[in-house]
Amino acid sequence: MLNKGLRDEESIRIDNVLKTLRSLDFIPETLNDTEKFEVENQLKEFGLNIQSLVDYKNEELITLLVRNHLDFNQLEQFADFLIDFSKVESYDFHEKALAIYQYIQQESKVFSFGINSKIASLKNK
C-alpha cells in the first residue's frame, strides 16, 4: 500500500495523464502518426498501448487500471476517454467502457446517476 505522500503524487500523475488523454480531440478518421504517438505515449503511463487496449479482456483491463492505482473517479475518466477514442475509425471500446462503468457502480458502493446514465446510454447503442 502506498503511503499518503506517494499516493498523492501518484494520483496527481494519473490525473495529468488522464487530462492529456481527455484533451485530445478525436474525429471520425484514422489517426495520423503524430496523433497515434501522443495516445501511445500517454497510455504507456498505465502499461498500455493501443494494441493492448484492443487485446485485453474487460476484466484484465480493469485489473490493470486498479493495479495502477486509479480511483473510481479516474476510472470514470479513463472510460470517458475510451468512448471518445471510439470515434476514431477502426476502434470500438464501448464494451470496455461499459465494463468499467459497471465496475465503478458495483464496487464504489455509491449509486451515481451520472455513471448510471452512461451505462444506460451505452446499453442502448
Side-chain angles (χ1 to χ4, degrees), residues 13-14 17-18 21 42-48 64-65 68 70 78:
R13 182 189 70 77
I14 291 167
V17 170
L18 290 169
L21 283 171
Q42 295 304 313
L43 289 175
K44 180 173 56 174
E45 293 293 323
F46 300 127
L48 291 165
L64 177 69
L65 295 172
N68 275 284
L70 274 74
F78 190 83

Side-chain angles (χ1 to χ4, degrees), residues 69-84:
H69 310 288
L70 274 74
D71 62 25
F72 293 124
N73 185 45
Q74 293 164 335
L75 285 169
E76 180 180 2
Q77 290 177 52
F78 190 83
D80 293 344
F81 155 74
L82 290 177
I83 296 297
D84 289 342

Side-chain angles (χ1 to χ4, degrees), residues 21 43 46-70 75 78-83 85 92-101 103:
L21 283 171
L43 289 175
F46 300 127
L48 291 165
N49 58 43
I50 294 171
Q51 189 57 50
S52 64
L53 267 180
V54 171
D55 294 342
Y56 272 124
K57 292 183 172 107
N58 298 347
E59 300 78 24
E60 294 171 329
L61 178 60
I62 292 168
T63 300
L64 177 69
L65 295 172
V66 169
R67 269 197 223 134
N68 275 284
H69 310 288
L70 274 74
L75 285 169
F78 190 83
D80 293 344
F81 155 74
L82 290 177
I83 296 297
F85 194 53
D92 183 4
F93 297 117
H94 290 99
E95 280 188 32
K96 288 179 178 11
L98 176 61
I100 292 170
Y101 292 139
Y103 171 83

Side-chain angles (χ1 to χ4, degrees), residues 2-19:
L2 297 174
N3 69 36
K4 179 151 176 42
L6 288 177
R7 193 170 49 239
D8 290 345
E9 286 177 25
E10 182 75 355
S11 183
I12 290 168
R13 182 189 70 77
I14 291 167
D15 285 338
N16 288 334
V17 170
L18 290 169
K19 251 184 243 172

